[in-house]
């Protein structure tokens, strides 16, 4: 089997070929390690999607579709994958901050960063400071990701960082914020470690932190 | 502000503001750059120290705060902007696509009102499909087929609540308008509607659903936006068309699409709508949300004097490319107010005016509507508005500004009549009520059309 093709098709968001390939693969009753390799090839394809997005050849709609395609692929592979998930490179507690109900951007980032090997604990939308604090206490993640689309999210992000600070958790995590209204200035005001309006860049930042 | 009031009097200021803005619409250089800055209900309530949730139930609670803000901030529209999404009607309908956040802010979560497998139903008749499939999914208490009585009561309550809220808001704005001399828009000259593919996306297929449809079933998407056209076209047209009124289109999807999909799926029906309207002398006001720089060539083909509002982008390029043909507005970053000192705000405003104002066809506004008090710094906002007023002065008012608009330059397309089994035409009405004179048509159809517009508004 030639996994290069699979990677290429995922990168091109060629759903038909990806699904066809995976169905044939499963029909051959593959081993778990073969299946892991296939997953890795899909993830590489996702990285290509991220590259194309950063180059301005793909747009948010393509990222959403890529996330969908990857989920579909993993669903297909599940029966042969087993439960070995020891290969996580790092962990992220991710959520949309209180006051904001938007999650499209958050979900895009989640699927891309998962594809890059992170374990993501997604706590959902409109999450109070206490929800972030207790999840961070429980999971002890490497990174906290906060998302928001409306400008009202900015103060909520600041509250959340302060909440983590008060709970004595701030220094044990890196914090990244994302979404339409975040800027360099607001990042400084909020006290996050980094910011982005671009999920692919967010993935790079997280990888850099884990190195 | 004070001295303006003293020296000229409110009535005079009102006339002056009106002439100034109308000059822009008449393709003339105005005396000074008109200022379109207003604050919504949420932010005014916060300023007043009133619980946001309470203000949503009674906007009159914020009237004195709104008054104070009108006094402090110089704008050429009423500084109080009101609000459209209110719990009194959304909650009455059991809305799932417009709900309140934990901080009392009404929002649209990502909901799916129309399933991918329902495209054919939608294409067959969009309005029927909205009533039968979309509304029950997005509104718990609007299930006309299964619970018709409750659904009828619910919709009556919601329409009444909306009208009541509107009456309160309009009353408040009228009082402030009289007191502060804002120009009065002729009633019935404004409309608002979405681009066909955006209305199909926002709360029907959803952003995520549509992103897959574009790749999986593009031909269905195309058929669906075309099927939607008669409804969309109808809803946008205001009762009265004047050179000063307009139809507002907030544009959502394009910057998240590839150009190839945009040019085949999104653009054609919307371009058609704007052109149809132009041929009737009806101007469009379009909000290019997010960053439209890669689409400037398309925008350039829009009818002359389309009013174009930008969020992000390169001001210089936009002015250079579009400034002679269109009336440009917004683009000035709201974030400047909270990240810059007062002096920096003033300097940035001047810089921006130097780019955007020359030659006219420009109205000042921000890139985003402000939602919470922390989005703005009032002192800086006051300074920015006063800088526009005092610095944005033209030396050649009354000169011709740029290209002029002639409705004869545009051709109206052939539009199929709007039809639905839930829509009663005047012919049908007359068959049932043969003694109805022709002059009653407007009254009869206004009531019927109010329902259509309301149902449409539930999809946004
Ligand atoms: C689509 C849209 C809508 C849709 C929302 C559909 C939905 N349920 O999601 C609809 C039509 C319903 C809508 C309604 C309204 N909207 Co709206 N809307 C937009 C629009 C055009 C796009 C937002 C969006 O979804 N972007 C796509 C996502 C994927 O982008 P993103 O969140 O930035 O995410 C990317 C990155 O930032 C990153 N990312 C995101 N999160 C995270 C997290 C981490 C950790 C990392 C690393 C990365 C990351 O990944 C993503 C991919 O790169 C924006 C304009 C804009 N400039 O964005 C206005 C905008 C958000 N809306 C606005 C407004 C005012 C409204 C309304 C209040 C309008 C009204 N008066 O009715 C209503 C109600 C509020 C609401 N949104 O619910 C304003 C908000 C102004 C403000 N002060 O914040 C905006 C900015 C438009 C404007 N210029 O005024 N809206």
């Amino acid at each position: 089997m030639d996994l290069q093709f699979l990677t290429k098709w995922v990168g091109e968001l060629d759903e038909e070929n990806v699904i066809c390939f995976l169905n044939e693969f499963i029909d051959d009753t593959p081993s778990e390690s073969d299946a892991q390799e296939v997953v890795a090839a899909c993830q590489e394809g996702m990285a290509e999607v991220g590259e194309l997005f950063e180059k301005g050849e793909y747009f948010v709609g393509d990222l959403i579709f890529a996330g969908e395609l990857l989920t579909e692929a993993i669903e297909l592979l599940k029966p042969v994958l087993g439960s070995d998930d020891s290969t996580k490179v790092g962990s992220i507690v991710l959520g949309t901050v209180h006051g904001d109900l938007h999650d499209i951007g958050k979900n895009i980032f989640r699927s891309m960063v998962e594809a890059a090997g992170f374990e993501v604990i997604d706590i959902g939308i409109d999450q109070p400071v206490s929800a972030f604090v207790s999840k961070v206490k429980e999971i002890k993640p490497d990174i906290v990701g906060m998302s928001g689309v409306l400008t009202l999210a900015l103060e909520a992000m600041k509250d959340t960082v302060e909440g983590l600070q008060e709970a004595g958790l701030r220094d044990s995590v890196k914090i990244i914020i994302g979404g339409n209204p975040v800027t360099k200035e607001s990042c400084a005001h909020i006290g996050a470690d980094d910011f982005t309006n671009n999920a692919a860049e967010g993935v790079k930042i997280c990888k850099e932190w884990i190195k | 502000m004070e001295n303006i009031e003293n020296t000229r009097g409110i009535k005079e200021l009102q006339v002056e503001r009106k002439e100034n803005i109308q000059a822009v619409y008449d393709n003339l250089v105005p005396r000074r750059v008109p200022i379109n800055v207003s604050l919504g209900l949420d932010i005014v309530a916060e300023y007043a120290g009133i619980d946001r949730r309470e203000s949503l139930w009674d906007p009159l609670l914020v009237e004195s705060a709104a008054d104070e803000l009108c006094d402090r901030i110089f704008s050429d529209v009423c500084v109080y902007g009101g609000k459209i999404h209110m719990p009194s009607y959304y909650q009455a309908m059991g809305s799932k696509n417009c709900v309140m956040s934990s901080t009392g802010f009404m929002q649209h979560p990502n909901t799916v009102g129309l399933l991918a497998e329902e495209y054919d139903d939608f294409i067959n008749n969009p309005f029927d499909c909205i009533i039968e499939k979309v509304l029950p999914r997005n509104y718990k208490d609007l299930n006309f087929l299964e619970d018709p009585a409750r659904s009828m009561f619910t919709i009556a309550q919601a329409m009444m609540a909306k009208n009541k809220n509107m009456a309160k808001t309009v009353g408040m704005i009228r009082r402030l308008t009289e007191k502060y001399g804002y120009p009065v828009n002729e009633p019935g000259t404004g409309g608002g509607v979405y681009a066909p593919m955006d209305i199909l996306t926002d709360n029907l297929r959803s952003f995520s659903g549509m992103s897959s449809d574009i790749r999986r079933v593009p031909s269905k998407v195309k058929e669906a936006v075309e099927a939607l056209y008669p409804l969309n076209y109808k809803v946008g047209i205001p009762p009265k068309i004047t050179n000063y009124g307009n139809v507002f289109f907030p544009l959502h999807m394009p910057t998240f699409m590839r150009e190839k999909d945009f040019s085949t799926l999104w653009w054609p029906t919307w371009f058609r709508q704007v052109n149809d309207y132009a041929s009737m002398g009806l101007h469009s006001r379009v909000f290019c949300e997010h960053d439209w720089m890669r689409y400037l060539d398309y925008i350039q083909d829009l009818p002359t004097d389309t009013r174009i509002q930008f969020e992000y982008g390169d001001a210089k390029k936009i002015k250079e490319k579009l400034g002679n043909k269109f009336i440009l507005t917004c683009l000035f970053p709201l974030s400047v107010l909270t990240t810059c000192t007062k002096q920096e705000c003033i300097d940035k405003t001047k810089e921006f005016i130097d780019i955007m104002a020359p030659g006219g066809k420009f109205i000042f506004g921000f890139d985003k509507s402000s939602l919470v008090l922390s989005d703005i710094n009032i002192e800086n906002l006051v300074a920015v508005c006063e800088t526009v007023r005092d610095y944005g002065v033209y030396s050649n008012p009354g000169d011709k500004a740029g290209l002029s608009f002639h409705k004869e330059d545009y051709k109206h397309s052939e539009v199929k009549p709007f039809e639905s089994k839930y829509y009663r035409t005047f012919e049908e009405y007359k068959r049932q009520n043969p003694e109805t004179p022709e002059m009653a048509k407007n009254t009869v159809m206004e009531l019927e059309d109010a329902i259509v517009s309301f149902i449409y508004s539930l999809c946004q």
Side-chain angles (χ1 to χ4, degrees):
Chain A
M1 94 190 145
D2 195 346
L3 291 179
Q4 269 175 352
F5 277 108
L6 180 60
T7 298
K8 177 170 163 283
W9 287 325
V10 173
E12 287 167 358
L13 299 176
D14 183 343
E15 187 178 30
E16 220 176 287
N17 271 319
V18 170
I19 300 305
C20 180
F21 179 101
L22 292 177
N23 278 325
E24 280 175 23
F25 171 73
I26 290 164
D27 286 345
D28 285 348
T29 49
S31 72
E32 205 179 309
S33 72
D34 282 348
Q36 292 293 357
E37 271 178 52
V38 167
V39 172
C42 288
Q43 291 176 336
E44 259 174 67
M46 270 303 261
E48 262 170 46
V49 170
E51 295 288 322
L52 289 169
F53 177 68
E54 284 201 277
K55 275 197 219 147
E57 283 174 41
Y58 277 168
F59 299 93
V60 161
D62 305 296
L63 296 186
I64 296 174
F65 183 67
E68 181 123 331
L69 181 59
L70 196 69
T71 313
E72 219 181 338
I74 304 285
E75 276 307 308
L76 274 177
L77 292 168
K78 250 191 194 145
V80 291
L81 258 179
S83 57
D84 178 24
D85 57 0
S86 56
T87 48
K88 297 293 178 214
V89 301
S91 57
I92 304 181
V93 166
L94 176 68
T96 301
V97 291
H98 66 89
D100 200 318
L101 303 181
H102 294 83
D103 58 3
I104 304 173
K106 168 178 76 58
N107 296 348
I108 294 173
F109 173 67
R110 184 187 63 206
S111 57
M112 293 181 72
V113 82
E114 273 176 349
F118 284 84
E119 181 189 10
V120 179
I121 298 92
D122 185 345
I123 61 174
I125 57 174
D126 199 2
Q127 289 300 313
V129 176
S130 60
F132 277 92
V133 169
S134 64
K135 242 333 163 224
V136 170
K137 260 193 198 142
E138 179 195 328
I139 306 283
K140 302 192 176 49
D142 303 298
I143 297 168
V144 172
M146 297 190 277
S147 181
V149 162
L150 304 175
T151 45
L152 54 83
L154 297 175
E155 280 308 300
M157 288 175 176
K158 190 169 171 15
D159 292 346
T160 309
V161 173
E162 282 167 9
L164 290 168
Q165 184 89 47
E166 276 161 31
L169 299 164
R170 175 65 186 91
D171 297 334
S172 66
V173 290
K174 285 281 194 182
I175 300 181
I176 182 165
I177 55 173
N180 177 55
V182 309
T183 56
K184 190 165 158 242
E185 290 80 10
S186 57
C187 178
H189 174 71
I190 288 163
D193 295 303
D194 215 335
F195 78 100
T196 182
N197 313 103
N198 172 327
E201 189 187 54
V203 173
K204 283 194 180 156
I205 295 170
C206 291
K207 277 175 146 171
E208 202 53 45
W209 281 343
I210 291 305
K211 251 190 196 159
Chain B
M1 181 72 219
E2 244 80 329
N3 55 25
I4 289 207
E5 273 180 27
N6 296 343
T7 50
R8 285 188 236 162
I10 291 303
K11 277 283 163 231
E12 234 170 289
L13 180 60
Q14 191 168 34
V15 171
E16 191 183 79
R17 274 172 164 148
K18 186 167 173 177
E19 286 173 358
N20 197 52
I21 184 70
Q22 290 192 343
V24 177
Y25 295 145
D26 289 331
N27 190 32
L28 301 172
V29 174
R31 271 181 316 91
R32 58 175 178 80
V33 171
I35 306 169
N36 178 12
V37 167
S38 61
L39 303 172
L41 172 62
D42 297 279
I43 198 166
V44 177
E46 206 181 335
Y47 176 81
I50 290 168
D51 184 335
R52 184 182 293 147
R53 291 174 188 78
E54 289 186 7
S55 74
L56 291 172
W57 286 93
D58 185 8
L60 294 181
L61 290 174
V62 309
E63 183 153 356
S64 64
D67 191 318
E68 195 179 310
L69 288 165
C70 287
D71 191 39
R72 282 183 76 180
I73 300 162
F74 186 88
S75 176
D76 293 314
V77 300
C78 183
V79 171
Y80 178 64
K83 183 170 176 82
I84 27 177
H85 296 109
M86 295 299 222
S88 56
Y89 35 106
Y90 284 100
Q91 290 179 184
M93 296 179 284
S95 176
K96 294 181 223 166
N97 69 332
C98 187
V99 295
M100 198 182 279
S101 77
S102 62
T103 52
F105 200 89
M106 297 295 287
Q107 283 167 61
H108 294 282
N110 196 31
T111 50
V112 179
L114 180 76
L115 306 179
E117 55 268 31
E118 290 167 343
Y119 263 108
D120 287 335
D121 282 327
F122 187 87
I123 291 161
N124 188 36
N125 190 303
F127 196 67
D128 292 359
C129 180
I130 286 170
I131 289 184
E132 293 166 4
K133 304 245 155 69
V134 175
L135 293 186
R137 216 168 265 135
N138 283 349
Y139 297 85
K140 193 170 67 51
D141 296 316
L142 291 184
N143 198 333
F144 292 98
L145 300 184
E146 272 163 35
D147 195 352
R150 187 63 226 169
S151 301
M152 272 165 6
F153 301 157
T154 295
I155 206 130
Q157 282 181 358
M159 287 182 77
M160 277 190 284
K162 190 170 183 177
N163 288 339
K164 268 193 177 164
N165 174 60
M166 184 68 85
K168 278 187 183 175
T169 303
V170 167
M172 211 161 125
I173 291 179
R174 196 188 323 108
R175 289 188 288 280
L176 295 169
T177 296
E178 287 311 308
K179 184 162 173 192
Y180 292 96
Y182 300 119
V184 184
N185 294 329
E186 193 180 339
T189 59
V193 68
Y194 290 72
M197 189 159 157
D198 284 339
I199 195 83
L200 181 63
T201 302
D202 290 342
N203 288 292
L204 271 60
R205 287 298 296 129
S206 82
F207 242 59
S208 30
M210 183 54 84
S211 300
S212 298
D213 297 348
I214 287 171
R215 286 178 178 269
R216 288 180 183 152
V217 285
S219 61
K220 293 286 178 204
V221 175
K222 195 165 176 62
E223 276 181 74
V225 287
E226 275 161 16
L228 193 55
Y229 193 76
L231 168 63
N232 215 63
Y233 167 86
K234 176 185 176 59
V235 169
I237 300 172
K240 195 168 173 193
I241 296 174
T242 73
N243 195 41
Y244 309 123
N246 64 55
V247 187
F248 179 52
F249 288 94
L251 308 179
H252 287 145
M253 202 49 191
T255 64
F256 305 114
M257 302 170 73
R258 291 178 298 179
E259 179 175 349
K260 156 173 165 284
D261 302 322
F262 165 80
S263 67
T264 52
L265 299 176
W266 192 96
W267 178 260
T269 40
W270 182 66
F271 187 62
R272 174 183 173 197
Q273 191 165 358
V274 172
N275 271 283
D276 281 351
Y277 287 172
S279 76
M280 299 152 67
L282 175 54
H283 296 286
S284 295
R285 176 163 64 95
V286 310
F287 185 3
C288 297
E289 298 192 27
H290 199 234
D291 184 348
W292 280 64
M293 289 309 284
R294 65 191 167 103
Y295 290 134
L296 295 190
D297 285 338
Y298 289 85
I299 293 185
Q300 208 163 20
D301 291 338
L302 291 174
T304 304
D305 270 350
T306 299
R307 299 154 195 184
I308 308 180
Q309 189 176 338
F310 285 96
E311 183 174 354
Y312 305 125
D314 178 337
K316 275 206 186 91
K317 275 204 191 121
I318 289 174
K319 177 71 179 178
E320 214 175 273
K321 195 152 182 159
L322 307 173
N324 195 42
K325 185 172 181 187
F326 305 105
I327 297 166
L328 303 178
T329 183
C330 296
L331 199 61
F332 192 73
L334 186 68
S335 59
V336 164
L337 296 179
T338 46
T339 54
C340 295
T341 63
K342 186 168 162 187
Q343 190 54 47
E344 285 167 347
C345 285
I346 292 172
D347 295 342
K348 281 191 194 285
T349 308
K350 287 183 178 170
E351 254 169 58
F352 184 65
I353 290 203
D354 286 340
I355 298 170
M356 298 302 290
K361 282 192 186 282
F362 170 62
I363 296 168
F364 181 83
F366 287 99
D367 65 336
K368 291 180 177 42
S369 33
S370 47
L371 301 176
V372 282
L373 211 49
S374 56
D375 287 346
I376 58 174
N377 166 317
I378 301 230
E379 226 177 282
N380 289 349
L381 177 59
V382 169
V384 166
C385 291
E386 290 181 355
T387 304
V388 181
R389 181 192 66 201
D390 300 336
Y391 183 79
V393 175
Y394 288 95
S395 57
N396 58 338
D399 283 7
K400 194 167 169 242
L403 291 180
S404 42
F405 169 81
H406 305 285
K407 67 177 181 183
E408 301 72 24
D409 295 344
Y410 306 91
K411 243 184 81 191
H412 202 296
S413 70
E414 188 97 25
V415 182
K416 282 201 204 129
F418 169 69
E419 282 170 350
S420 158
K421 63 180 169 212
Y422 301 111
Y423 184 69
R424 184 162 56 179
T425 62
F426 190 59
E427 290 65 45
E428 284 169 57
Y429 185 94
K430 271 187 77 156
R431 232 173 285 135
Q432 289 165 14
N433 308 280
E435 300 311 319
T436 316
E438 203 54 32
M439 54 75 79
K441 183 172 177 181
N442 272 350
T443 310
V444 169
M445 293 318 288
E446 222 174 72
L447 291 169
E448 192 71 24
D449 290 339
I451 302 277
V452 176
S453 296
F454 187 73
I455 298 283
Y456 183 93
S457 79
L458 299 182
C459 299
Q460 67 191 25

